[in-house]
Every structure is written in structure tokens, then in C-alpha cells.
Amino acid sequence: MSAGALRYYFTSQSELLAFSMRLVSERVRERVEAIPPSIPPLEGVKRCLLELLPLTDETKKEMEVWLVFTQRALWDPALQPLSEQIYHQLRTAMKRMLELLRDLGLLRSDVSIELETERLYALVDGLAMHGIMQSGKLSPSKIEEIIEYHLRSICR
């Protein structure tokens, strides 16, 4: 879009960032929903988590939007409700993935759902950040390997 078009559609940078973040969220949701339910549950959880990470040019751009949005939401009150909504949705999704693994008897019995939800969220956030900031040092295959390693560490 041209700068003129941006001014026409969005009255502020905050509006543009909110629109962009909603678009990113929708795209991630669509990709997650497209994961076949017939695949093994642990593989499904892994694939869901990988959709949140910068593994392709498309997802790198999405994560860049996430990074700019998150930074701006720290001080822009107009973005804070959407930031909270996205945080809640992601945290809930991660908790549900862990509950699914538990309910299927795949999660180790000593794993705390509440603590693991926070740890998994922190791991995904950290990998997203490093995947953007250090893309030359943290390859998509290494990110996938880290997710697999983590899931194996909490599962039977």
C-alpha cells in the first residue's frame, strides 16, 4: 500500500499495527485449523507450536509484525487490549495442548499443567524472538529440533 492509502485506511500507526496483528492471528489460526486431526497427537501439538515460529519467509514476516506490535503495546494504551487478548488466546491454546497430552496419557505425571503452560509459552516466545533477531544462527531446523526436544522431555 502507498503511504496515501495507509493514511486513508488507518488514522494512526496503532490502527495499522492492530489490523496487522489481527491479520497475523487469523492466518496462524487458519494454518493450525488446517492441521489434520488424524495425525498423532504429539505431532499435532508440535505442528501447532511450529506455526507460531519464524520458520518460513511468511512466518518470519508475521513474527516481525508480532515483535513490533508487542513492543508498541508496552506503552500504547490503544493496543493493550488486543495485546492482552492475543496473550490470553495463545496461553489458553498452549494449556489446552498440554491438557490434551495429559488426557491421552502422553504427558509425564509429574508435569504441572500451570507451570508447563508458562514454560512452554516462554520457550515459544524466546524461539520466536531469537528466530527473528538471530536468524542466521538459529535455523528453522534447529527451532524444530528444540520444540521436539522439549516435547519429548515432558512426555512419556
Side-chain angles (χ1 to χ4, degrees), residues 11-118:
T11 60
S12 69
Q13 189 174 25
S14 295
E15 278 186 21
L16 173 61
L17 281 171
F19 172 82
S20 299
M21 194 64 230
R22 283 187 192 97
L23 183 60
V24 166
S25 293
E26 179 65 21
R27 291 171 68 163
V28 170
R29 186 188 61 73
E30 287 172 358
R31 289 194 307 266
V32 166
E33 288 178 354
I35 296 171
S38 59
I39 65 173
L42 192 56
E43 178 66 18
V45 167
K46 180 185 92 172
R47 288 183 54 187
C48 286
L49 294 172
L50 292 175
E51 289 299 338
L52 303 170
L53 295 165
L55 303 178
T56 66
D57 287 341
E58 177 184 356
T59 56
K60 281 180 187 174
K61 288 178 181 122
E62 291 173 354
M63 292 300 98
E64 289 168 3
V65 168
W66 164 80
L67 181 60
V68 171
F69 172 84
T70 300
Q71 183 274 329
R72 176 109 180 199
L74 288 173
W75 58 267
D76 186 341
L79 296 177
Q80 290 168 359
L82 180 57
S83 180
E84 285 295 317
Q85 176 188 347
I86 291 167
Y87 170 81
H88 178 71
Q89 288 170 341
L90 285 172
R91 188 184 183 288
T92 299
M94 289 184 196
K95 184 175 183 181
R96 286 183 181 156
M97 285 184 254
L98 293 166
E99 290 170 339
L100 172 69
L101 294 175
R102 179 200 59 205
D103 294 348
L104 294 172
L106 299 172
L107 200 63
R108 287 190 358 237
S109 61
D110 63 333
V111 172
S112 162
I113 295 290
E114 289 304 315
L115 290 175
E116 187 55 39
T117 299
E118 296 304 327

Side-chain angles (χ1 to χ4, degrees), residues 60 130-140:
K60 281 180 187 174
H130 290 283
I132 294 167
M133 304 299 290
Q134 301 294 326
S135 62
K137 296 178 183 170
L138 187 61
S139 68

